[in-house]
Each structure stands twice: as structure tokens, then as C-alpha cells.
Amino acid sequence: MTATEPLTPSRFEHVPLTVFRDSVEASRAVAAEIAALIRERQAQSRRAVLGLATGSTPLSLYAELIRLHREEGLSFRNVVTFNLDEYCGLSADHPQSYNQFMRVHLFEHVDIPEDATHIPDGTRPSHEIDAMARAYEEAIHAAGGIDFQILGIGRTGHIGFNEPGSARRSRTRLVALDALTRRDAAGDFGGEEHTPSYAVTMGVRTILEARRVVLMAWGEHKAEVVRQAVEGAVTAQLPASFLQEHDACRFVLDANAAGALTRYRTPWLLGPLDDQGLEWDERMTRRAILWLSNKTGKAILKLTDDDYNEAGLQDLLRVYGSAYEANLAGFYQMQHTITGWPGGRDPARTKPGDAPVRPLRASSAGVFPKRVLVLSPHPDDDVISMGGTLCRLVEHGHEVHVAYQVSGSNAVSDESLWRALLFARDAGFSTPEAARRIDEALASFSSTGVLAASADQERWKGLIRRHEALAAARECGVPAGRLHFLDLPFYRSALPRRRQLGAEDIARMVRLLEEIQPHLIFAAGDLDDPHGTHRLCLRALAEALKASAGQPWVGETELWLYRGAWAEWAADEIDMAVPLSPQEVLRRRRAIFRHETQKDQALFLGDDRREFWQRTEDRSRRLAERYNAIGLAEYEAIEAFKRYSPEAFLQLTPL
Ligand code: F6R
């Protein structure tokens, strides 16, 4: 689905696009363009003026520019830079300031002259900001204007910090940050309450005056806002849409960020699939039929030829001959995702006439009991996302292991730990040395209202989550001896959005896999979690599978992805749907309740402030309703999984 050349715009798209397989490839291409510009200007003894962004998006671009400098002699001596924005109230050496960000991620590693870099000054008192902003605009003008502007896009549709409501003619100025933007940044600041409320940003007009603009976006969480910016109307409610009016602007996307565009989500609306190099395979057929059923509000088997024709699905009708045949194909595909036996049946107890073990691979049908490994990035993802399935697997007699990948200590509030410490102290459960350290921590909490950062604090918080996980697993019937607390080190290092996997992370995963040699692995395929932890945990699994590739069990293992706490798989992506009874839903709720410290976390994370058990139940009920609406049986709730082949993982490019 991806190409490295600009795509021919579809009739839905109002801005040119290039879509790459992943952000690494995409960043390389953008870096090459920037390098070409810099070199061209060097040859003319002129300067190249770059507009730069911060955030997680340009990290791989800056890494590639540094590589070009080190390995291919790209010099930045003729480069002048202007950054888009800076938080207010942070001094230039504050670790979260954009000044600091630029030094750490680019400036310190290349030969750019220090006086050639410009970043708005966030420390000015408010009455000086207007004058500073005017001077910033004048400096851009004096440098000859921006030749090449790099942008990311916020989930509000902001570019720079031009939040919804920003006028097309706005220039560099003081702005208030949108609540969603602050929540997205909260991880970098240790909570929303510590996140700045104001920033200074270049205006929309300042950005539009750049001679060339490239907006980059990676990841599924950007897909919807990218779709609106590319396909929607130009509106101040979505400032990135103003880029449609620029003559030399291009969006550079990875496959996930492009995923909501009409050309990928509903390509049949663009004409016959053949003409687009696509085909009506099972997945596409199912997607179109589910889309049609949703659009018409009809169960699949009630869809008529007219429905297909009116919705622009003549092409599918042509392939199947009639609505009747197409309906059956879509209906059975969905029916076959449903199983009450997520690990397969005990062959000794299977009677003739019992339903087949679909959707598990037929080759594994005779293996019983199976060794099952559930990978839970944080200590509660297992029960939140697949608590019902976990209970079933145990009940069916499989050997179920749960491995908690990170300690989860970051999500324990000081208040929770403070209460636990009070308990330890008042119950007198401590050695004199422990008592001294506990007293020290309690004293810091009394005087400042927060616990002083320390290794003790991190360890204690990790322990709290470990105990909660033990209690929840007990609720699901998993014995303590089959729980594995990996405490992957990447989680402890650096700021959430800047973490990287290291050799020890992979080594711990490899040891776990070799110890268990699982027939089934369930892992979080939730690539959209607010901290990026799930993404790295999945990557750690992929790398560990790659490292274990020679082992005989690797070829046999079946890998299933659950979607995590934040979202559900779209119905057309589901390969296994496990229905739950009302009792199982309650049991899962009890297990989630064991994660007591996470109750208040829901208040701080994401846009949805409901507690985790509420999200889980709403989500799995909504999915059951969706299955019912397309004409399948009516269940209380459904947990859903998508099949992933380890081979697909192994092909991922390295980060
Ligand atoms: C950064 C900036 C912002 C970010 C946007 C996306 O200087 O002005 O517009 O580009 O918030 O942030 P990330 O890349 O962290 O998703």
C-alpha cells in the first residue's frame, strides 16, 4: 500500500502525499531532500533556512541528519534554523524546553553555528512577548524567509502550537495550549498539573510563507486528524487544513498515519480495485460488507443488490455475481471468528459433531494442554484487555503464564505509595534501615506534597503494582508461580516519549520465551497507547522472536494481538472473537478492581476519563452489539484478537 514517490492525488485529497512503510524510511527520504537543499545552497555560497519542529515526530529525521553529517560529510555551516515554538515559563536549559530538545537531538551533533539557530524565548514576561514575537518574524524575514519548513501535527490538528481557532493570518504570538495537547505532553512533564499552559508559536501565516512545507505524521493515533487535514474542508477548527492552500506543501506519512484516508479505508469509493492495483481478497470483501452493513443499518444477510449498487460497490457485486453470494461470504467470515475455545479443545473430551477449533491453526488442534504466554505490557493490561479469555484458558486446563513486561511504577501516584508506606511503618513491618528510609520518604511528602524521586520510590511503586497483579491473576486462577515480572529496563530510562529498547530488554524477553516455549502468545497490539510503552513492548517481543528464530518452537507458535486499554480492533480486522457470559464479565471486573492504584490514573490519561473497568466493559459490549447488528448471535460481551505472524514482525525495519 505504500510508495516512495508522491501519490497521484485521489479526488478526496486536497494536498499531495507520500506514504512510506514506516517512519524510518520516511524520515530518510525527508532528510535526503533537506541535504540536497543544503548542498545546493553550499554550491551557490548561499544559506539554507530551515523551519524546525520538536516532539516525537522529527526524532528519526534528526537522527538521519546527524548520520548524514557524520558519515557522509553533510555540513550545516551554511544552515540557519528557526524553531516553530517554545513552552512559556521554561528556561532554555529546562530538560523539557524545546531549546534543550534541539540541542540534545540535533544541534550538539552537527556543525551548525550557534548564532544561526533561533528558538522563541519562553521565559519573557508576558508584556515583552509581543515585541519578542515581532523580532522573531523580522529575523525570519532578514534571513530571507524559510526555505524548508518541517511540521508535525497534533491530535487537535495544530501545527506549531496553532490550536483550533487560530486564524489564517496569525503570526508569531503567545497562545494557550489546548487541553488535549497538554494531556498528550503530560507524560513528558510527570503529569498534567506540571505541564505548561502557554507557549509562543509561529503563526499560521508565518508557516504558510515558507517556500516549501513538509508535514510528517506517524502512527495510528494521527490517522484521523490526518484524514481531516487532507480530505476535509479548510477551517480554523483544524489549523493543519490551511496547508491545503500552500502551493508547495506535502504530507509525508507512514502507513499507519495514512490508514484512515479514503484510498486505504474505503478504496472502492475511488473506482474498481483492479485499477488501483488492489484485489477483492477475503479481508477487503469483509471490510466492504461490514462498511455497507453499518452504513445501511442492515444485517449482512439482508443486504440487497440495490444496497451494493447505491453505495458504489458494483465492483464487488461483479466479483460475486449477486448480493446473496457476497453476503454469505462476508457473513461466514465473521461467523468463523467466533470461538468459545480460545486455546482449542481437549481432544479427549471432543465429541463427534462438536464445533471445529477455528480460528486456531488446524495443525495445533491435537496439542493439549497448550503452553500459553500472555504478555502484559503494564501489570493490568492482561485483565483489562483479555481478562475473560484469560479465565477461560485457565478453566480449559491450559498452562497459562502471564509476563508483566514493565514495572508500571510510573502510574502509581505518590498518594498511593504514601498510604502503603504509612501502613508499613504503622504496622512496624520494617528493619531499622527500612524504617529510616520510609521515614525520610514520609517527611518529604509532608513538607512538599510529593515524594522525593529515588530508586526506593520507583521500587516501592513497582512492588505495589506487582502485588495488585498477583491479586488480579489469582482472581483469574493463574498460580503465582506462572507469573513473570520482567521489569524491562527501558521503562525506567528517560522520558516516556524518548525511550529506546536496549540489549537487556531483548535478552530478558528471549529468556522468558525459551523458558516457556509457548504454543500461543497473546500480546498487546495497541500501538496507540499514550506513553508508547505498548509499542516498545511489542517491538521487544518482535526482536526476541527474531533472536530465537532458529528454535523449533518458534515456527509452531501462534501469535494473537489484543488491542489494549485504549481502543478496540475494527470488526473487519478481527480474527478471533471470544464471547463472554454475564458472569465472566463480572469476574473480569473483579480482577480489574484489584488494580486499585489505577483508578485515579484514568483521570489523568487520554481524553476518556472513565475508569478502566468501565472502558473495558463498554468496549466489549459495544463489540458484542456490533456482532449482533450484522446478524450474528447476541452475546453479553466479546473480547477480540487479531492474528499476527511472527514472520511479519521479523520483517519490521529496525528502529
Ligand atoms: C512541535 C510542535 C507541535 C508538534 C505536534 C506533534 O514543535 O510545534 O506542533 O509537531 O504537537 O507532536 P508529536 O510529534 O510529539 O506527536
Side-chain angles (χ1 to χ4, degrees):
M1 84 180 237
T2 55
T4 48
E5 294 303 314
L7 297 165
T8 316
S10 81
R11 67 189 159 90
F12 292 90
E13 294 161 5
H14 310 312
V15 70
L17 311 168
T18 318
V19 180
F20 291 85
R21 188 165 63 132
D22 60 33
S23 58
V24 176
E25 257 183 30
S27 301
R28 272 189 210 133
V30 177
E33 276 187 62
I34 294 177
L37 170 74
I38 295 175
R39 288 193 170 115
E40 178 195 307
R41 290 296 167 85
Q42 271 157 6
Q44 303 162 342
S45 300
R46 288 171 61 201
R47 294 185 301 187
V49 184
L50 305 181
L52 299 181
T54 55
S56 52
T57 307
L59 286 174
S60 39
L61 169 69
Y62 296 154
E64 174 64 6
L65 287 174
I66 294 169
R67 193 195 65 76
L68 289 173
H69 170 68
R70 288 191 182 144
E71 295 174 17
E72 297 183 22
L74 177 67
S75 169
F76 287 73
R77 296 221 67 82
N78 67 323
V79 172
V80 178
T81 65
F82 289 90
N83 263 80
L84 282 166
D85 40 20
E86 176 61 286
Y87 289 117
C88 280
L90 303 192
S91 61
D93 56 358
H94 187 288
Q96 265 69 259
S97 76
Y98 285 166
N99 262 278
Q100 187 67 8
F101 178 101
M102 289 310 301
R103 273 201 292 272
V104 171
H105 294 289
L106 183 64
F107 298 156
E108 275 174 3
H109 310 282
V110 296
D111 60 345
I112 190 163
E114 207 178 314
D115 60 359
T117 66
H118 305 82
I119 301 183
D121 180 355
T123 58
R124 297 287 186 89
S126 48
H127 66 273
E128 287 179 19
I129 288 184
D130 273 358
M132 189 263 291
R134 268 197 308 279
Y136 203 68
E137 293 272 342
E138 277 158 22
I140 295 175
H141 186 72
I146 293 172
D147 292 307
F148 197 111
Q149 176 67 53
I150 290 297
L151 296 176
I153 181 169
R155 287 195 300 150
T156 57
H158 71 212
I159 44 176
F161 276 139
N162 294 286
E163 298 286 15
S166 296
R168 195 196 176 291
R169 57 193 167 76
S170 56
R171 290 207 169 270
T172 304
R173 68 202 186 288
L174 177 71
V175 288
L177 298 178
D178 201 271
L180 179 57
T181 298
R182 293 185 64 237
R183 246 175 274 152
D184 280 349
D188 290 348
F189 286 93
E192 220 174 300
E193 66 277 27
H194 308 298
T195 306
S197 301
Y198 296 95
V200 178
T201 181
M202 280 187 196
V204 174
R205 176 171 288 182
T206 327
I207 293 170
L208 290 178
E209 280 172 359
R211 282 183 274 283
R212 206 166 359 144
V213 178
V214 166
L215 181 144
M216 305 184 296
W218 328 132
E220 227 178 292
H221 59 300
K222 297 283 173 75
E224 188 47 36
V225 78
V226 164
R227 187 191 66 74
Q228 290 173 33
V230 172
E231 298 189 350
V234 176
T235 162
Q237 287 320 304
L238 200 107
S241 66
F242 285 125
L243 297 170
Q244 294 177 14
E245 297 177 345
H246 194 283
D247 287 332
C249 171
R250 193 158 46 90
F251 279 30
V252 172
L253 310 172
D254 73 356
N256 290 328
L261 296 171
T262 303
R263 68 162 72 232
Y264 299 119
R265 187 168 274 179
T266 48
W268 47 87
L269 295 178
L270 296 172
L273 293 197
D274 259 1
D275 301 354
Q276 302 174 55
L278 299 169
E279 55 171 330
W280 285 109
D281 58 11
E282 280 200 357
R283 188 73 68 176
M284 189 72 86
T285 301
R286 189 202 315 185
R287 195 188 318 163
I289 292 173
L290 287 170
W291 171 82
L292 184 61
S293 151
N294 195 32
K295 187 176 156 72
T296 55
K298 289 183 178 180
I300 295 177
L301 295 178
K302 290 184 176 170
L303 294 169
T304 63
D305 284 24
D306 283 349
D307 292 326
Y308 280 80
N309 283 324
E310 276 160 27
L313 278 172
Q314 297 85 338
D315 196 30
L316 182 59
L317 217 45
R318 182 184 54 75
V319 172
Y320 279 88
S322 69
Y324 180 81
E325 292 297 334
N327 290 351
L328 283 180
F331 180 83
Y332 281 122
Q333 271 200 56
M334 288 310 287
Q335 170 102 314
H336 292 165
T337 62
I338 302 175
T339 179
W341 299 88
R345 284 173 193 268
D346 177 354
R349 285 167 42 199
T350 308
K351 301 181 294 302
D354 277 346
V357 289
R358 248 183 337 236
L360 290 190
R361 276 206 295 253
S363 59
S364 74
V367 183
F368 186 89
K370 291 196 173 65
R371 286 186 302 278
V372 180
L373 172 60
V374 174
L375 288 169
S376 179
H378 297 95
D380 54 356
D381 291 305
D382 54 343
V383 287
I384 286 176
S385 307
M386 54 170 293
T389 306
L390 183 62
C391 293
R392 275 199 176 203
L393 287 163
V394 174
E395 257 169 31
H396 290 173
H398 298 288
E399 181 187 318
V400 180
H401 295 257
V402 185
Y404 302 99
Q405 290 171 282
V406 304
S407 77
S409 60
N410 293 347
V412 175
S413 69
D414 285 0
E415 210 269 345
S416 302
L417 175 56
W418 171 67
R419 272 186 290 150
L421 293 179
L422 277 182
F423 175 80
R425 184 192 64 185
D426 296 348
F429 290 152
S430 44
T431 62
E433 171 56 14
R436 189 188 59 72
R437 292 188 1 216
I438 290 175
D439 277 337
E440 225 174 77
L442 290 172
S444 79
F445 193 86
S446 318
S447 54
T448 59
V450 288
L451 289 165
S454 70
D456 274 342
Q457 185 199 133
E458 203 181 290
R459 193 169 53 83
W460 289 332
K461 287 184 171 176
L463 274 179
I464 289 177
R465 298 217 58 186
R466 188 178 286 214
H467 297 154
E468 288 175 344
L470 275 167
R474 200 159 167 256
E475 191 60 49
C476 300
V478 186
R482 293 202 182 136
L483 303 182
H484 309 261
F485 295 94
L486 301 183
D487 199 7
L488 295 183
F490 81 81
Y491 180 75
R492 284 187 251 133
S493 57
L495 293 162
R497 291 198 288 175
R498 311 207 189 139
R499 292 178 186 141
Q500 283 181 338
L501 290 178
E504 179 56 21
D505 296 300
I506 315 298
R508 288 189 197 185
M509 290 291 297
V510 167
R511 281 200 295 274
L512 174 81
L513 291 175
E514 295 196 342
E515 184 190 326
I516 300 177
Q517 309 202 351
H519 300 104
L520 295 180
I521 300 177
F522 290 87
D526 183 350
L527 307 181
D528 202 7
D529 72 309
H531 306 115
T533 308
H534 291 205
R535 237 186 331 266
L536 285 177
C537 283
L538 190 59
R539 169 71 60 167
L541 171 65
E543 296 291 343
L545 284 168
K546 182 154 65 175
S548 311
Q551 308 281 335
W553 62 268
V554 176
E556 297 297 310
T557 193
E558 276 192 74
L559 182 52
W560 295 94
L561 298 184
Y562 59 84
R563 195 61 163 82
W566 310 95
E568 186 53 273
W569 296 118
D572 62 271
E573 290 180 298
I574 294 171
D575 293 307
M576 175 155 70
V578 181
L580 305 184
S581 69
Q583 287 81 352
E584 287 172 313
V585 170
L586 281 181
R587 187 167 173 203
R588 180 179 64 184
R589 187 190 298 179
R590 275 201 304 276
I592 297 173
F593 277 175
R594 297 294 173 264
H595 293 278
E596 281 170 41
T597 57
Q598 299 310 294
K599 279 168 86 84
D600 65 347
Q601 286 299 311
L603 290 176
F604 304 123
L605 290 176
D607 331 335
D608 171 355
R609 297 182 182 238
R610 287 166 309 152
E611 285 188 32
F612 286 112
W613 68 273
Q614 291 169 309
R615 300 183 207 202
T616 295
E617 287 186 15
D618 288 356
R619 199 181 65 171
S620 59
R621 285 215 170 89
R622 264 203 308 275
L623 185 59
E625 280 161 20
R626 180 96 178 88
Y627 265 64
N628 189 223
I630 59 180
L632 292 163
E634 185 173 353
Y635 296 107
E636 174 74 6
I638 290 181
E639 288 179 348
F641 304 89
K642 179 175 165 141
R643 183 192 295 283
Y644 255 59
S645 69
E647 298 76 46
F649 273 129
L650 303 182
Q651 281 159 16
L652 288 176
T653 51
L655 277 185

